[in-house]
Amino acid sequence: SRSRGGRFDDLVLLAVSQLEPRWEDELSAIEFAVEEIPPAEPDPDKGDLVPLARLEHAVRTDDGDRPARIVLYRRPLMARADGDEELAELVLDVIVEEFAHLLGVDPQTVDPSYPGDD
């Protein structure tokens, strides 16, 4: 049996694999990571919201290029979900949102099944 962290990592890999058929080239240039919690206190300008993920854009340096990264925060995501199925959906939605932001497109462009603001 896998640890809770290992199962969460599996959900991240599953979410990325769901997007790969349509976005394989773009996804190959992105690193995905999981951290337990955000590195700092919530931004007071954003209210009391705890971030679920962060996006780091690609950077060119003298030492070489650093690829774009999407970092998911395991504990805040797990706290927002009721059960494994809801957690899997939430992880996919957060990855879709961050990836869409990186591409400069609407999340529904990335994943047509992404829930809209209806």
Side-chain angles (χ1 to χ4, degrees), residues 17-61:
S17 72
Q18 290 177 262
L19 300 176
E20 278 183 332
R22 191 167 177 200
W23 299 99
E24 184 174 6
D25 291 342
E26 293 85 353
L27 287 167
S28 68
I30 300 173
E31 289 182 350
F32 291 86
V34 174
E35 293 179 5
E36 286 297 303
I37 57 173
E41 293 296 315
D43 184 344
D45 295 335
K46 295 183 180 178
D48 292 331
L49 297 177
V50 174
L52 302 178
R54 81 172 178 268
L55 173 63
E56 299 174 359
H57 291 277
V59 176
R60 290 186 176 244
T61 66

Side-chain angles (χ1 to χ4, degrees), residues 8 12 30-39 51-56 68-74 77 94-95 98:
F8 187 86
V12 172
I30 300 173
E31 289 182 350
F32 291 86
V34 174
E35 293 179 5
E36 286 297 303
I37 57 173
L52 302 178
R54 81 172 178 268
L55 173 63
E56 299 174 359
R69 288 181 83 205
I70 295 175
V71 180
L72 286 90
Y73 300 123
R74 186 174 73 83
L77 284 161
V94 169
I95 288 175
E98 296 297 331

Side-chain angles (χ1 to χ4, degrees), residues 57-108:
H57 291 277
V59 176
R60 290 186 176 244
T61 66
D62 294 336
D63 299 332
D65 296 345
R66 189 192 80 212
R69 288 181 83 205
I70 295 175
V71 180
L72 286 90
Y73 300 123
R74 186 174 73 83
R75 286 190 186 176
L77 284 161
M78 291 182 78
R80 292 245 181 113
D82 292 325
D84 292 342
E85 188 175 318
E86 189 174 314
L87 180 59
E89 291 173 9
L90 182 58
V91 167
L92 176 61
D93 289 348
V94 169
I95 288 175
V96 166
E97 291 165 5
E98 296 297 331
F99 184 54
H101 183 73
L102 180 68
L103 297 177
V105 299
D106 188 76
Q108 288 160 329

